[in-house]
Amino acid sequence: MADTLSWFDIPVNDMQRATKFYGAIFETTLEAGPAAPGFEMAMFPNQGGVNGALVYGESYKPSHLGALVYLNAG
């Protein structure tokens, strides 16, 4: 069976600050994601098939609800 967790988005208010913070706590470098109108992404390195990114944009608001997780139902 394929990986169940396939992607996660962590909404942020300040991409530069969030990239620095998450890079420091996970001791890694986040890379700028694909350019798209209306939002920015900073990608985490692929770790064991699970991918994810920090996301900044109008429809991405940090909240107490946490990250957006995408599952692979096969």
Side-chain angles (χ1 to χ4, degrees):
M1 183 172 163
D3 293 332
T4 304
L5 174 61
S6 59
W7 185 265
F8 61 89
D9 287 337
I10 300 175
V12 301
N13 285 326
D14 182 327
M15 183 60 78
Q16 184 176 2
R17 184 182 72 174
T19 300
K20 183 177 178 181
F21 172 77
Y22 283 100
I25 64 170
F26 290 116
E27 298 179 347
T28 192
T29 301
L30 285 79
E31 300 291 330
F39 72 95
E40 294 177 53
M41 296 175 75
M43 313 276 289
F44 287 90
N46 186 326
Q47 299 291 320
V50 177
N51 297 303
L54 303 177
V55 185
Y56 172 82
E58 186 176 324
S59 61
Y60 295 93
K61 299 296 179 201
S63 76
H64 68 284
L65 300 176
L68 180 57
V69 175
Y70 297 85
L71 302 174
N72 181 358

Short mmCIF file of all heavy atoms in Angstrom, two decimals:
data_model
loop_
_atom_site.label_atom_id
_atom_site.label_comp_id
_atom_site.label_asym_id
_atom_site.label_seq_id
_atom_site.Cartn_x
_atom_site.Cartn_y
_atom_site.Cartn_z
N MET A 1 0.85 -1.19 0.00
CA MET A 1 0.00 0.00 0.00
C MET A 1 0.88 1.24 0.00
O MET A 1 1.91 1.28 0.65
CB MET A 1 -0.90 -0.01 1.23
CG MET A 1 -1.85 1.14 1.27
SD MET A 1 -3.00 0.91 2.64
CE MET A 1 -3.61 2.54 2.77
N ALA A 2 0.48 2.26 -0.73
CA ALA A 2 1.23 3.51 -0.80
C ALA A 2 1.17 4.24 0.54
O ALA A 2 0.34 3.94 1.39
CB ALA A 2 0.65 4.39 -1.91
N ASP A 3 2.07 5.21 0.70
CA ASP A 3 2.05 6.03 1.91
C ASP A 3 0.66 6.62 2.11
O ASP A 3 0.03 7.08 1.17
CB ASP A 3 3.06 7.18 1.80
CG ASP A 3 4.49 6.68 1.77
OD1 ASP A 3 4.75 5.61 2.35
OD2 ASP A 3 5.33 7.36 1.18
N THR A 4 0.19 6.60 3.34
CA THR A 4 -1.13 7.15 3.65
C THR A 4 -1.08 8.67 3.70
O THR A 4 -1.92 9.35 3.15
CB THR A 4 -1.64 6.60 4.99
OG1 THR A 4 -1.64 5.18 4.91
CG2 THR A 4 -3.02 7.09 5.29
N LEU A 5 -0.07 9.21 4.36
CA LEU A 5 0.12 10.66 4.42
C LEU A 5 0.93 11.07 3.20
O LEU A 5 2.04 10.59 3.00
CB LEU A 5 0.86 11.07 5.70
CG LEU A 5 1.25 12.53 5.84
CD1 LEU A 5 0.02 13.41 5.83
CD2 LEU A 5 2.06 12.74 7.10
N SER A 6 0.36 11.93 2.36
CA SER A 6 1.08 12.29 1.15
C SER A 6 1.56 13.74 1.12
O SER A 6 2.53 14.04 0.44
CB SER A 6 0.23 12.00 -0.09
OG SER A 6 -0.97 12.73 -0.06
N TRP A 7 0.91 14.63 1.84
CA TRP A 7 1.29 16.04 1.79
C TRP A 7 0.73 16.77 3.00
O TRP A 7 -0.32 16.42 3.52
CB TRP A 7 0.74 16.70 0.52
CG TRP A 7 1.20 18.11 0.35
CD1 TRP A 7 0.53 19.24 0.74
CD2 TRP A 7 2.41 18.57 -0.22
NE1 TRP A 7 1.25 20.35 0.45
CE2 TRP A 7 2.43 19.97 -0.16
CE3 TRP A 7 3.50 17.92 -0.78
CZ2 TRP A 7 3.48 20.73 -0.64
CZ3 TRP A 7 4.55 18.68 -1.26
CH2 TRP A 7 4.52 20.08 -1.19
N PHE A 8 1.44 17.82 3.44
CA PHE A 8 0.89 18.70 4.48
C PHE A 8 1.23 20.15 4.13
O PHE A 8 2.25 20.43 3.54
CB PHE A 8 1.43 18.34 5.88
CG PHE A 8 2.93 18.47 6.01
CD1 PHE A 8 3.50 19.67 6.40
CD2 PHE A 8 3.76 17.40 5.74
CE1 PHE A 8 4.88 19.80 6.53
CE2 PHE A 8 5.13 17.51 5.86
CZ PHE A 8 5.70 18.71 6.25
N ASP A 9 0.31 21.04 4.47
CA ASP A 9 0.50 22.49 4.35
C ASP A 9 0.47 23.08 5.75
O ASP A 9 -0.42 22.77 6.54
CB ASP A 9 -0.64 23.15 3.57
CG ASP A 9 -0.63 22.87 2.09
OD1 ASP A 9 0.45 22.54 1.55
OD2 ASP A 9 -1.70 23.00 1.46
N ILE A 10 1.44 23.94 6.05
CA ILE A 10 1.43 24.69 7.30
C ILE A 10 1.23 26.16 6.92
O ILE A 10 2.13 26.79 6.35
CB ILE A 10 2.74 24.52 8.09
CG1 ILE A 10 2.96 23.05 8.45
CG2 ILE A 10 2.71 25.41 9.34
CD1 ILE A 10 4.30 22.77 9.12
N PRO A 11 0.03 26.71 7.16
CA PRO A 11 -0.22 28.12 6.84
C PRO A 11 0.63 29.04 7.70
O PRO A 11 0.82 28.78 8.89
CB PRO A 11 -1.71 28.32 7.16
CG PRO A 11 -2.28 26.95 7.24
CD PRO A 11 -1.16 26.06 7.69
N VAL A 12 1.15 30.11 7.10
CA VAL A 12 1.98 31.08 7.82
C VAL A 12 1.56 32.51 7.48
O VAL A 12 1.00 32.77 6.42
CB VAL A 12 3.49 30.88 7.53
CG1 VAL A 12 3.93 29.48 7.91
CG2 VAL A 12 3.83 31.16 6.08
N ASN A 13 1.85 33.44 8.40
CA ASN A 13 1.60 34.87 8.16
C ASN A 13 2.83 35.59 7.63
O ASN A 13 2.70 36.63 6.99
CB ASN A 13 1.17 35.56 9.46
CG ASN A 13 -0.25 35.24 9.83
OD1 ASN A 13 -1.10 35.07 8.98
ND2 ASN A 13 -0.50 35.12 11.13
N ASP A 14 4.01 35.08 7.91
CA ASP A 14 5.26 35.73 7.53
C ASP A 14 6.22 34.64 7.03
O ASP A 14 6.80 33.90 7.84
CB ASP A 14 5.84 36.44 8.75
CG ASP A 14 7.13 37.20 8.48
OD1 ASP A 14 7.93 36.76 7.63
OD2 ASP A 14 7.33 38.24 9.14
N MET A 15 6.35 34.51 5.72
CA MET A 15 7.12 33.42 5.13
C MET A 15 8.59 33.46 5.55
O MET A 15 9.16 32.42 5.89
CB MET A 15 7.02 33.45 3.60
CG MET A 15 7.74 32.29 2.93
SD MET A 15 7.14 30.65 3.41
CE MET A 15 5.66 30.56 2.43
N GLN A 16 9.20 34.62 5.56
CA GLN A 16 10.61 34.72 5.92
C GLN A 16 10.84 34.27 7.36
O GLN A 16 11.74 33.49 7.64
CB GLN A 16 11.12 36.14 5.72
CG GLN A 16 12.59 36.29 5.99
CD GLN A 16 13.10 37.71 5.68
OE1 GLN A 16 12.34 38.58 5.29
NE2 GLN A 16 14.38 37.90 5.86
N ARG A 17 10.00 34.74 8.27
CA ARG A 17 10.13 34.37 9.68
C ARG A 17 9.86 32.88 9.89
O ARG A 17 10.59 32.19 10.60
CB ARG A 17 9.17 35.20 10.52
CG ARG A 17 9.32 34.95 12.01
CD ARG A 17 8.34 35.76 12.79
NE ARG A 17 7.02 35.16 12.57
CZ ARG A 17 5.92 35.52 13.18
NH1 ARG A 17 5.95 36.53 14.03
NH2 ARG A 17 4.79 34.94 12.95
N ALA A 18 8.82 32.36 9.25
CA ALA A 18 8.46 30.94 9.40
C ALA A 18 9.54 30.03 8.81
O ALA A 18 9.87 29.00 9.40
CB ALA A 18 7.11 30.67 8.75
N THR A 19 10.09 30.41 7.67
CA THR A 19 11.15 29.60 7.05
C THR A 19 12.37 29.53 7.95
O THR A 19 12.95 28.46 8.15
CB THR A 19 11.53 30.18 5.67
OG1 THR A 19 10.37 30.17 4.83
CG2 THR A 19 12.63 29.38 5.01
N LYS A 20 12.73 30.66 8.54
CA LYS A 20 13.86 30.69 9.46
C LYS A 20 13.57 29.83 10.71
O LYS A 20 14.41 29.04 11.13
CB LYS A 20 14.15 32.14 9.87
CG LYS A 20 15.34 32.29 10.76
CD LYS A 20 15.60 33.77 11.05
CE LYS A 20 16.77 33.92 12.00
NZ LYS A 20 17.04 35.33 12.32
N PHE A 21 12.37 29.96 11.28
CA PHE A 21 11.99 29.22 12.47
C PHE A 21 11.99 27.71 12.22
O PHE A 21 12.64 26.95 12.94
CB PHE A 21 10.61 29.68 12.95
CG PHE A 21 10.05 28.84 14.06
CD1 PHE A 21 10.51 28.99 15.36
CD2 PHE A 21 9.05 27.90 13.81
CE1 PHE A 21 10.00 28.22 16.40
CE2 PHE A 21 8.54 27.13 14.84
CZ PHE A 21 9.01 27.29 16.14
N TYR A 22 11.25 27.25 11.21
CA TYR A 22 11.16 25.81 10.95
C TYR A 22 12.49 25.24 10.48
O TYR A 22 12.83 24.10 10.81
CB TYR A 22 10.05 25.51 9.93
CG TYR A 22 8.68 25.58 10.55
CD1 TYR A 22 7.89 26.70 10.39
CD2 TYR A 22 8.19 24.54 11.32
CE1 TYR A 22 6.63 26.79 10.96
CE2 TYR A 22 6.93 24.61 11.90
CZ TYR A 22 6.16 25.74 11.71
OH TYR A 22 4.92 25.81 12.29
N GLY A 23 13.27 26.00 9.74
CA GLY A 23 14.61 25.55 9.36
C GLY A 23 15.48 25.33 10.57
O GLY A 23 16.24 24.34 10.64
N ALA A 24 15.38 26.22 11.55
CA ALA A 24 16.20 26.11 12.76
C ALA A 24 15.77 24.93 13.63
O ALA A 24 16.60 24.15 14.07
CB ALA A 24 16.14 27.40 13.57
N ILE A 25 14.47 24.78 13.87
CA ILE A 25 14.05 23.71 14.79
C ILE A 25 14.21 22.32 14.18
O ILE A 25 14.43 21.35 14.90
CB ILE A 25 12.62 23.91 15.35
CG1 ILE A 25 11.57 23.84 14.24
CG2 ILE A 25 12.52 25.19 16.13
CD1 ILE A 25 10.15 23.78 14.78
N PHE A 26 14.13 22.21 12.84
CA PHE A 26 14.32 20.91 12.19
C PHE A 26 15.72 20.75 11.60
O PHE A 26 16.01 19.74 10.95
CB PHE A 26 13.26 20.68 11.11
CG PHE A 26 11.89 20.47 11.69
CD1 PHE A 26 10.87 21.37 11.43
CD2 PHE A 26 11.62 19.38 12.49
CE1 PHE A 26 9.60 21.19 11.95
CE2 PHE A 26 10.35 19.18 13.03
CZ PHE A 26 9.34 20.09 12.75
N GLU A 27 16.58 21.75 11.82
CA GLU A 27 17.96 21.72 11.32
C GLU A 27 18.01 21.33 9.85
O GLU A 27 18.67 20.38 9.45
CB GLU A 27 18.81 20.78 12.17
CG GLU A 27 18.91 21.21 13.61
CD GLU A 27 19.73 20.27 14.48
OE1 GLU A 27 20.04 19.13 14.05
OE2 GLU A 27 20.06 20.69 15.60
N THR A 28 17.28 22.10 9.03
CA THR A 28 17.20 21.83 7.59
C THR A 28 17.05 23.14 6.83
O THR A 28 16.91 24.20 7.43
CB THR A 28 16.03 20.88 7.28
OG1 THR A 28 16.14 20.43 5.94
CG2 THR A 28 14.68 21.55 7.50
N THR A 29 17.09 23.05 5.53
CA THR A 29 16.89 24.21 4.66
C THR A 29 15.62 23.98 3.86
O THR A 29 15.47 22.95 3.22
CB THR A 29 18.08 24.39 3.70
OG1 THR A 29 19.26 24.58 4.49
CG2 THR A 29 17.88 25.59 2.80
N LEU A 30 14.71 24.92 3.94
CA LEU A 30 13.49 24.85 3.14
C LEU A 30 13.75 25.57 1.82
O LEU A 30 14.40 26.62 1.80
CB LEU A 30 12.33 25.49 3.88
CG LEU A 30 11.75 24.67 5.03
CD1 LEU A 30 12.61 24.77 6.26
CD2 LEU A 30 10.34 25.10 5.34
N GLU A 31 13.24 25.00 0.74
CA GLU A 31 13.44 25.56 -0.59
C GLU A 31 12.16 26.23 -1.08
O GLU A 31 11.06 25.75 -0.80
CB GLU A 31 13.82 24.44 -1.57
CG GLU A 31 15.09 23.71 -1.21
CD GLU A 31 16.34 24.57 -1.36
OE1 GLU A 31 16.35 25.47 -2.22
OE2 GLU A 31 17.29 24.34 -0.60
N ALA A 32 12.31 27.33 -1.83
CA ALA A 32 11.14 28.00 -2.41
C ALA A 32 10.40 27.01 -3.30
O ALA A 32 11.00 26.26 -4.06
CB ALA A 32 11.58 29.22 -3.21
N GLY A 33 9.09 26.99 -3.16
CA GLY A 33 8.26 26.08 -3.95
C GLY A 33 7.89 26.68 -5.29
O GLY A 33 8.33 27.79 -5.63
N PRO A 34 7.10 25.97 -6.06
CA PRO A 34 6.70 26.46 -7.38
C PRO A 34 5.92 27.77 -7.27
O PRO A 34 5.12 27.93 -6.35
CB PRO A 34 5.83 25.34 -7.94
CG PRO A 34 5.44 24.51 -6.77
CD PRO A 34 6.49 24.70 -5.72
N ALA A 35 6.20 28.68 -8.16
CA ALA A 35 5.51 29.97 -8.16
C ALA A 35 4.08 29.79 -8.66
O ALA A 35 3.84 29.05 -9.60
CB ALA A 35 6.25 30.96 -9.04
N ALA A 36 3.16 30.45 -7.99
CA ALA A 36 1.77 30.41 -8.40
C ALA A 36 1.11 31.72 -7.99
O ALA A 36 1.49 32.29 -6.96
CB ALA A 36 1.05 29.23 -7.77
N PRO A 37 0.16 32.20 -8.76
CA PRO A 37 -0.51 33.45 -8.40
C PRO A 37 -1.23 33.34 -7.05
O PRO A 37 -1.93 32.36 -6.80
CB PRO A 37 -1.52 33.66 -9.52
CG PRO A 37 -1.07 32.78 -10.63
CD PRO A 37 -0.33 31.63 -10.00
N GLY A 38 -1.00 34.30 -6.19
CA GLY A 38 -1.74 34.38 -4.94
C GLY A 38 -1.17 33.67 -3.74
O GLY A 38 -1.72 33.77 -2.66
N PHE A 39 -0.10 32.90 -3.91
CA PHE A 39 0.50 32.29 -2.73
C PHE A 39 1.96 31.94 -2.95
O PHE A 39 2.44 31.86 -4.06
CB PHE A 39 -0.30 31.06 -2.25
CG PHE A 39 -0.20 29.84 -3.11
CD1 PHE A 39 0.73 28.85 -2.82
CD2 PHE A 39 -1.04 29.66 -4.19
CE1 PHE A 39 0.81 27.70 -3.59
CE2 PHE A 39 -0.96 28.51 -4.96
CZ PHE A 39 -0.03 27.54 -4.66
N GLU A 40 2.65 31.76 -1.81
CA GLU A 40 4.07 31.36 -1.79
C GLU A 40 4.19 30.06 -1.03
O GLU A 40 3.40 29.79 -0.13
CB GLU A 40 4.91 32.38 -1.01
CG GLU A 40 5.02 33.75 -1.58
CD GLU A 40 5.83 34.64 -0.64
OE1 GLU A 40 6.96 34.24 -0.26
OE2 GLU A 40 5.31 35.70 -0.28
N MET A 41 5.22 29.29 -1.38
CA MET A 41 5.49 28.03 -0.66
C MET A 41 6.97 27.94 -0.34
O MET A 41 7.80 28.42 -1.10
CB MET A 41 5.11 26.83 -1.52
CG MET A 41 3.66 26.72 -1.84
SD MET A 41 3.33 25.35 -2.97
CE MET A 41 3.51 23.97 -1.86
N ALA A 42 7.28 27.32 0.79
CA ALA A 42 8.64 26.93 1.14
C ALA A 42 8.57 25.46 1.48
O ALA A 42 7.89 25.05 2.43
CB ALA A 42 9.16 27.75 2.32
N MET A 43 9.25 24.64 0.69
CA MET A 43 9.13 23.19 0.77
C MET A 43 10.11 22.58 1.78
O MET A 43 11.28 22.95 1.80
CB MET A 43 9.43 22.57 -0.60
CG MET A 43 8.73 23.24 -1.75
SD MET A 43 7.09 22.65 -2.00
CE MET A 43 7.44 21.04 -2.61
N PHE A 44 9.60 21.65 2.58
CA PHE A 44 10.46 20.84 3.43
C PHE A 44 11.14 19.79 2.57
O PHE A 44 10.57 19.35 1.57
CB PHE A 44 9.63 20.13 4.51
CG PHE A 44 9.14 21.03 5.60
CD1 PHE A 44 7.91 21.66 5.50
CD2 PHE A 44 9.90 21.24 6.74
CE1 PHE A 44 7.45 22.48 6.52
CE2 PHE A 44 9.45 22.05 7.76
CZ PHE A 44 8.22 22.68 7.64
N PRO A 45 12.34 19.35 2.95
CA PRO A 45 12.99 18.27 2.20
C PRO A 45 12.15 16.99 2.31
O PRO A 45 11.52 16.75 3.34
CB PRO A 45 14.33 18.07 2.90
CG PRO A 45 14.49 19.18 3.86
CD PRO A 45 13.16 19.82 4.05
N ASN A 46 12.14 16.19 1.26
CA ASN A 46 11.40 14.93 1.26
C ASN A 46 12.02 13.98 2.28
O ASN A 46 13.21 13.70 2.23
CB ASN A 46 11.44 14.32 -0.13
CG ASN A 46 10.58 13.07 -0.24
OD1 ASN A 46 10.45 12.31 0.71
ND2 ASN A 46 9.98 12.87 -1.38
N GLN A 47 11.22 13.52 3.21
CA GLN A 47 11.67 12.60 4.25
C GLN A 47 10.83 11.34 4.20
O GLN A 47 9.71 11.33 4.69
CB GLN A 47 11.56 13.25 5.64
CG GLN A 47 12.38 14.49 5.82
CD GLN A 47 13.86 14.18 5.84
OE1 GLN A 47 14.30 13.20 6.42
NE2 GLN A 47 14.64 15.01 5.19
N GLY A 48 11.33 10.30 3.60
CA GLY A 48 10.61 9.03 3.60
C GLY A 48 9.31 9.04 2.81
O GLY A 48 8.37 8.35 3.17
N GLY A 49 9.24 9.83 1.77
CA GLY A 49 8.04 9.85 0.93
C GLY A 49 6.98 10.84 1.33
O GLY A 49 6.00 11.02 0.63
N VAL A 50 7.14 11.50 2.46
CA VAL A 50 6.16 12.49 2.90
C VAL A 50 6.68 13.87 2.54
O VAL A 50 7.81 14.21 2.86
CB VAL A 50 5.90 12.40 4.42
CG1 VAL A 50 4.94 13.48 4.87
CG2 VAL A 50 5.36 11.03 4.78
N ASN A 51 5.86 14.65 1.87
CA ASN A 51 6.25 16.00 1.46
C ASN A 51 5.34 17.02 2.12
O ASN A 51 4.19 16.71 2.44
CB ASN A 51 6.15 16.14 -0.06
CG ASN A 51 7.09 15.23 -0.78
OD1 ASN A 51 8.28 15.28 -0.55
ND2 ASN A 51 6.56 14.38 -1.63
N GLY A 52 5.85 18.23 2.26
CA GLY A 52 5.03 19.29 2.83
C GLY A 52 5.68 20.64 2.65
O GLY A 52 6.82 20.74 2.19
N ALA A 53 4.93 21.68 3.00
CA ALA A 53 5.42 23.03 2.78
C ALA A 53 4.78 24.02 3.74
O ALA A 53 3.68 23.80 4.24
CB ALA A 53 5.13 23.46 1.35
N LEU A 54 5.49 25.11 3.94
CA LEU A 54 4.90 26.30 4.55
C LEU A 54 4.17 27.00 3.41
O LEU A 54 4.67 27.03 2.28
CB LEU A 54 5.98 27.22 5.09
CG LEU A 54 6.95 26.63 6.11
CD1 LEU A 54 8.00 27.67 6.49
CD2 LEU A 54 6.21 26.12 7.33
N VAL A 55 3.00 27.55 3.68
CA VAL A 55 2.22 28.19 2.63
C VAL A 55 1.72 29.54 3.12
O VAL A 55 1.17 29.66 4.22
CB VAL A 55 1.02 27.32 2.21
CG1 VAL A 55 0.30 27.93 1.03
CG2 VAL A 55 1.47 25.91 1.86
N TYR A 56 1.93 30.57 2.29
CA TYR A 56 1.46 31.92 2.59
C TYR A 56 0.53 32.35 1.46
O TYR A 56 0.87 32.24 0.28
CB TYR A 56 2.65 32.88 2.68
CG TYR A 56 2.23 34.32 2.78
CD1 TYR A 56 1.86 34.86 4.00
CD2 TYR A 56 2.20 35.13 1.66
CE1 TYR A 56 1.46 36.19 4.10
CE2 TYR A 56 1.80 36.46 1.75
CZ TYR A 56 1.43 36.98 2.97
OH TYR A 56 1.03 38.27 3.07
N GLY A 57 -0.65 32.82 1.81
CA GLY A 57 -1.58 33.32 0.81
C GLY A 57 -2.89 33.68 1.47
O GLY A 57 -3.14 33.35 2.64
N GLU A 58 -3.76 34.32 0.70
CA GLU A 58 -5.03 34.81 1.23
C GLU A 58 -5.89 33.70 1.84
O GLU A 58 -6.53 33.89 2.87
CB GLU A 58 -5.82 35.52 0.13
CG GLU A 58 -7.08 36.18 0.62
CD GLU A 58 -7.79 36.96 -0.47
OE1 GLU A 58 -7.10 37.56 -1.32
OE2 GLU A 58 -9.03 36.96 -0.47
N SER A 59 -5.93 32.54 1.23
CA SER A 59 -6.78 31.46 1.73
C SER A 59 -6.07 30.56 2.75
O SER A 59 -6.65 29.58 3.22
CB SER A 59 -7.32 30.63 0.57
OG SER A 59 -6.27 30.03 -0.13
N TYR A 60 -4.82 30.87 3.08
CA TYR A 60 -4.06 30.08 4.05
C TYR A 60 -3.82 30.90 5.30
O TYR A 60 -2.98 31.79 5.31
CB TYR A 60 -2.71 29.65 3.46
CG TYR A 60 -2.86 28.70 2.31
CD1 TYR A 60 -2.89 29.17 1.01
CD2 TYR A 60 -2.95 27.33 2.52
CE1 TYR A 60 -3.02 28.30 -0.07
CE2 TYR A 60 -3.08 26.46 1.46
CZ TYR A 60 -3.12 26.95 0.17
OH TYR A 60 -3.25 26.09 -0.88
N LYS A 61 -4.60 30.63 6.34
CA LYS A 61 -4.50 31.40 7.59
C LYS A 61 -4.13 30.48 8.74
O LYS A 61 -4.82 29.49 8.99
CB LYS A 61 -5.83 32.09 7.90
CG LYS A 61 -6.28 33.07 6.83
CD LYS A 61 -5.32 34.23 6.72
CE LYS A 61 -5.74 35.19 5.64
NZ LYS A 61 -4.67 36.02 5.16
N PRO A 62 -3.05 30.79 9.45
CA PRO A 62 -2.71 30.01 10.64
C PRO A 62 -3.85 30.09 11.65
O PRO A 62 -4.51 31.12 11.79
CB PRO A 62 -1.47 30.71 11.20
CG PRO A 62 -0.92 31.50 10.07
CD PRO A 62 -2.09 31.87 9.22
N SER A 63 -4.10 28.98 12.34
CA SER A 63 -5.15 28.97 13.35
C SER A 63 -4.87 27.87 14.36
O SER A 63 -3.95 27.07 14.18
CB SER A 63 -6.52 28.75 12.71
OG SER A 63 -6.69 27.39 12.36
N HIS A 64 -5.69 27.80 15.36
CA HIS A 64 -5.58 26.75 16.37
C HIS A 64 -5.92 25.37 15.77
O HIS A 64 -5.66 24.34 16.39
CB HIS A 64 -6.51 27.05 17.55
CG HIS A 64 -7.96 26.94 17.19
ND1 HIS A 64 -8.61 27.92 16.47
CD2 HIS A 64 -8.86 25.96 17.41
CE1 HIS A 64 -9.87 27.56 16.27
NE2 HIS A 64 -10.05 26.38 16.85
N LEU A 65 -6.45 25.33 14.56
CA LEU A 65 -6.81 24.06 13.92
C LEU A 65 -5.59 23.34 13.34
O LEU A 65 -5.67 22.18 12.99
CB LEU A 65 -7.84 24.30 12.83
CG LEU A 65 -9.16 24.92 13.31
CD1 LEU A 65 -10.07 25.22 12.14
CD2 LEU A 65 -9.84 24.01 14.33
N GLY A 66 -4.46 24.05 13.21
CA GLY A 66 -3.22 23.41 12.80
C GLY A 66 -3.03 23.31 11.30
O GLY A 66 -3.58 24.08 10.52
N ALA A 67 -2.23 22.33 10.90
CA ALA A 67 -1.85 22.13 9.51
C ALA A 67 -2.96 21.44 8.72
O ALA A 67 -3.82 20.78 9.27
CB ALA A 67 -0.58 21.28 9.44
N LEU A 68 -2.90 21.59 7.40
CA LEU A 68 -3.80 20.90 6.49
C LEU A 68 -3.08 19.65 6.01
O LEU A 68 -1.98 19.74 5.47
CB LEU A 68 -4.16 21.81 5.32
CG LEU A 68 -5.11 21.26 4.28
CD1 LEU A 68 -6.43 20.82 4.90
CD2 LEU A 68 -5.36 22.31 3.21
N VAL A 69 -3.68 18.48 6.22
CA VAL A 69 -3.05 17.21 5.89
C VAL A 69 -3.81 16.57 4.74
O VAL A 69 -5.04 16.50 4.76
CB VAL A 69 -3.06 16.27 7.12
CG1 VAL A 69 -2.51 14.90 6.77
CG2 VAL A 69 -2.29 16.89 8.28
N TYR A 70 -3.05 16.10 3.74
CA TYR A 70 -3.63 15.41 2.59
C TYR A 70 -3.30 13.93 2.70
O TYR A 70 -2.13 13.57 2.87
CB TYR A 70 -3.07 15.97 1.28
CG TYR A 70 -3.41 17.41 1.06
CD1 TYR A 70 -2.62 18.42 1.62
CD2 TYR A 70 -4.51 17.78 0.32
CE1 TYR A 70 -2.92 19.75 1.43
CE2 TYR A 70 -4.83 19.12 0.12
CZ TYR A 70 -4.03 20.10 0.69
OH TYR A 70 -4.34 21.41 0.49
N LEU A 71 -4.32 13.08 2.58
CA LEU A 71 -4.13 11.65 2.70
C LEU A 71 -4.27 10.99 1.33
O LEU A 71 -5.04 11.45 0.48
CB LEU A 71 -5.18 11.05 3.64
CG LEU A 71 -5.20 11.63 5.06
CD1 LEU A 71 -6.36 11.05 5.85
CD2 LEU A 71 -3.87 11.35 5.76
N ASN A 72 -3.55 9.90 1.13
CA ASN A 72 -3.61 9.12 -0.09
C ASN A 72 -4.48 7.90 0.19
O ASN A 72 -4.06 6.99 0.89
CB ASN A 72 -2.21 8.71 -0.53
CG ASN A 72 -2.22 7.92 -1.81
OD1 ASN A 72 -3.26 7.63 -2.36
ND2 ASN A 72 -1.03 7.58 -2.28
N ALA A 73 -5.67 7.88 -0.37
CA ALA A 73 -6.59 6.77 -0.14
C ALA A 73 -6.41 5.64 -1.16
O ALA A 73 -7.19 4.71 -1.19
CB ALA A 73 -8.02 7.27 -0.14
N GLY A 74 -5.39 5.79 -2.02
CA GLY A 74 -5.07 4.73 -2.97
C GLY A 74 -6.05 4.63 -4.08
O GLY A 74 -6.20 3.79 -4.85
#
